[in-house]
Amino acid sequence: MTFRWGTFLFLIEAGTRIELLQSTVFWIGLLKIIWINIILSGDNAVVIALAARSLPHSQQKKAVLFGSGAAVAMRIGLTVVAVKLLEMPYLQIIGGVLLLWIGVQLLSEDEGEEGEGKHHGSLMAAIRTILIADLVMSLDNVIAVAAAAKGSMVLLVLGLAISIPLVIFGSTLMIRLMERYPFIVTLGAALIGWVAGETISNDTALHEFVLSNAWVHSAGPVVGAALVLGLGTWLQKRSLSNE
């Protein structure tokens, strides 16, 4: 009797899943989530590529795989609390400042040293940088994906899981482009600064100020990009002059 009841429940559950997969609403929702991930995962791919570009090829693969997996895992974990987090004052300001620091650090990074000790240290630094940047930059993605999933955990997890190869492919492609066209590194650092300025200007603590001064919302990303490029380039030149 117990076996039959268990079988009955299994058949109901299987039927529900099949019905879900045959639903047009399900597939439309999944396509929305995949599209959102394609659009909003670009900045994550740029950060991973910037952080991993100076590593040996074997370590680049580790950094890309670990960073991509961490990005998606963080999005899943943050989904439940993302909206509440964004309502907390000063949180986005802190996150934006962290992104500015990451952008400056990546642009000013000295690649002149060689040796196994340097490579090992760089891998650890790359992983740390990817984790911090992913944590800050995944909030917008999380909110957009959660809205598209409309409460469906299956849609949410499946859509984000599919985004893993998208981020890996994007990161790998960006690394190859940066090796061939070094100016892309500067563009990538500027993008991080842009997102940082945008993140800071969107903080709830600045909401009233931004409403009464609409230009701040447009100027914030520009100032962030300019700050990263200016300070990062200056530190890079100073580092080279000290060698």
Side-chain angles (χ1 to χ4, degrees):
M1 186 68 179
T2 304
F3 173 76
R4 290 180 179 177
W5 179 249
T7 305
F8 178 69
L9 291 177
F10 173 78
L11 291 174
I12 291 177
E13 184 178 354
T16 303
R17 289 179 180 176
I18 293 173
E19 184 179 348
L20 178 65
L21 292 175
Q22 291 177 340
S23 169
T24 304
V25 175
F26 173 83
W27 289 107
I28 291 175
L30 182 60
L31 288 174
K32 284 181 181 178
I33 289 175
I34 294 173
W35 183 242
I36 288 169
N37 275 290
I38 291 174
I39 296 173
L40 296 182
S41 293
D43 48 8
N44 294 82
V46 169
V47 169
I48 293 171
L50 281 171
R53 77 186 191 282
S54 60
L55 301 176
H57 288 296
S58 60
Q59 292 186 356
Q60 281 182 0
K61 294 178 181 178
K62 292 179 182 177
V64 168
L65 290 173
F66 187 87
S68 302
V72 176
M74 283 183 182
R75 291 172 193 175
I76 295 174
L78 285 171
T79 299
V80 180
V81 295
V83 175
K84 293 295 181 183
L85 285 176
L86 290 179
E87 290 175 355
M88 294 176 61
Y90 306 111
L91 185 65
Q92 286 182 276
I93 293 177
I94 295 172
V97 171
L98 282 173
L99 284 181
L100 288 173
W101 171 73
I102 288 172
V104 170
Q105 182 189 51
L106 291 174
L107 186 59
S108 62
E109 188 179 47
D110 180 20
E111 301 178 20
E113 298 179 27
E114 296 180 355
E116 291 300 318
K118 167 67 176 174
H119 291 330
H120 179 75
S122 294
L123 178 59
M124 295 301 103
I127 291 174
R128 183 191 65 225
T129 299
I130 290 168
L131 285 174
I132 295 173
D134 279 343
L135 181 61
V136 178
M137 301 173 81
S138 292
L139 287 174
D140 59 348
N141 186 288
V142 163
I143 291 176
V145 168
K150 296 181 179 178
S152 172
M153 187 56 66
V154 175
L155 264 180
L156 182 64
V157 175
L158 186 58
L160 292 177
I162 291 174
S163 74
I164 294 177
L166 296 176
V167 177
I168 293 175
F169 173 77
S171 304
T172 305
L173 177 62
M174 287 302 301
I175 290 174
R176 300 294 172 262
L177 289 175
M178 287 175 183
E179 290 175 349
R180 188 168 183 179
Y181 307 105
F183 72 89
I184 295 180
V185 174
T186 303
L187 294 179
L191 174 62
I192 295 174
W194 182 279
V195 174
E198 195 173 47
T199 301
I200 292 172
S201 62
N202 285 334
D203 193 278
T204 55
L206 302 176
H207 182 67
E208 295 299 328
F209 178 74
V210 173
L211 279 180
S212 57
N213 299 274
W215 58 269
V216 174
H217 195 270
S218 300
V222 177
V223 172
L227 184 60
V228 167
L229 290 178
L231 188 56
T233 302
W234 177 73
L235 289 174
Q236 187 181 58
K237 289 181 178 178
R238 191 181 70 168
S239 176
L240 292 173
S241 65
N242 289 335
E243 291 184 353

